[in-house]
Amino acid sequence: MENQLRAAGYDPVRHNFSYRDGSGGQVETFSILADTAGSAEHSIVVGGHLDSVRSGSGINDNGSGVAAMLEIARWMAEANVEAVNRVRFAFWGGEEDGLEGSEHYVDEMSDAEMSQTALNLNVDMMASPNGVRYVHDGDGSEYDDGAPAGSGAIEHLFLGYFAENGMEAEATPFDGGSDYAAFLEAGIPVGGLFTGDVGIKTEEQEQSYGGKAGSSHDPCYHQHCDSIGNVNHELLKEMAGALAYATIAYAMAAPAG
């Protein structure tokens, strides 16, 4: 990971932290941060977690999100994208033990760093085998989760991308189950993409996305079978395209909100 980022021209740094896990053991670990050029006055944090549960292989959860982020970072460097606003790619540690890496990051931000963080885009599970194109409900029109002002604009950007490319997408709540939570609680605009875990696909969703109604979005969620064979390659490509679009859009102009 770090070597790949360096090879693309980034200078990744480790954001070290520690915490106690569920058994009371002390865990020493880190997140990896890699920045593009551009003004830090409107920093865009694109984040996804590196870790997996001990019982799972972690390919969809969340190797899929990490792969999408890494590919976008590499493409931006290779294409010499001159970002107006700095993009910080944040590969979080400790998510599965309680969102530890992202919470530590937000807790350590100064007031100035907080005010300069324009928004957080979160990706967690981007290739569920029986998945759905979910976009987090930033405007509260479906779930009224109280997302910070500006989050609705992120949702609409993602939904607009899918609509313009002839793809169905729908809202999913901010239920606190991924690394956007610390940003949301800090009042920073948040948004993101998700293709589903234990939720059951409806008949309406089967009509829109294919797959199998009555089955979970990812039958291998948090299990050993979350291997390379558990990846919906077409869905990953579609979701990664949406993430790239939003990342570039916010990198090239100060976000509205």
Side-chain angles (χ1 to χ4, degrees):
M1 163 70 69
E2 289 166 290
N3 288 339
Q4 288 175 297
L5 288 166
R6 288 191 187 95
Y10 291 89
D11 185 20
V13 298
R14 292 189 177 190
H15 195 246
N16 298 300
F17 63 97
S18 62
Y19 63 93
R20 292 198 177 276
D21 63 16
S23 63
Q26 186 76 8
V27 177
E28 303 286 341
T29 188
F30 55 87
S31 301
I32 298 172
L33 310 176
D35 293 346
T36 69
S39 172
E41 293 296 314
H42 293 95
S43 291
I44 314 304
V45 179
V46 179
H49 70 90
L50 276 171
D51 62 320
S52 63
V53 295
R54 290 170 178 82
S55 58
S57 301
I59 300 302
N60 184 34
D61 186 17
N62 181 41
S64 60
V66 167
M69 289 170 54
L70 182 58
E71 189 61 25
I72 293 165
R74 291 171 59 186
W75 176 81
M76 288 183 69
E78 291 171 2
N80 294 315
V81 174
E82 296 183 3
V84 175
N85 306 305
R86 180 182 71 181
V87 177
R88 170 163 288 173
F89 294 99
F91 302 88
W92 307 119
E95 192 267 358
E96 297 290 4
D97 282 334
L99 314 179
E100 298 287 348
S102 52
E103 288 191 0
H104 180 75
Y105 176 86
V106 173
D107 287 346
E108 283 204 337
M109 282 200 294
S110 66
D111 289 344
E113 289 170 331
M114 192 79 71
S115 66
Q116 292 172 350
T117 302
L119 57 91
N120 167 235
L121 302 179
N122 186 73
V123 288
D124 195 351
M125 302 181 66
M126 297 268 278
S128 301
N130 195 35
V132 167
R133 298 181 204 97
Y134 283 122
V135 175
H136 285 292
D137 183 26
D139 65 5
S141 60
E142 296 290 332
Y143 298 98
D144 193 21
D145 295 309
S151 302
I154 303 172
E155 179 191 7
H156 297 158
L157 186 70
F158 278 129
L159 292 175
Y161 170 84
F162 286 123
E164 288 173 10
N165 286 278
M167 292 181 279
E168 295 283 344
E170 60 190 81
T172 191
F174 286 111
D175 60 6
S178 194
D179 288 300
Y180 57 75
F183 294 88
L184 188 153
E185 291 169 7
I188 295 169
V190 289
L193 300 170
F194 176 57
T195 57
D197 46 33
V198 296
I200 303 300
K201 178 169 279 187
T202 66
E203 292 184 1
E204 291 80 6
Q205 289 173 333
E206 181 185 78
Q207 292 297 316
S208 296
Y209 308 100
K212 183 178 180 182
S215 297
S216 63
H217 298 310
D218 185 357
C220 289
Y221 176 65
H222 283 186
Q223 297 183 45
H224 182 68
C225 59
D226 185 14
S227 63
I228 195 67
N230 194 47
V231 172
N232 183 329
H233 292 277
E234 188 62 27
L235 186 56
L236 176 57
K237 179 180 177 181
E238 294 165 354
M239 301 301 276
L243 179 64
Y245 177 81
T247 300
I248 294 298
Y250 284 118
M252 299 310 294

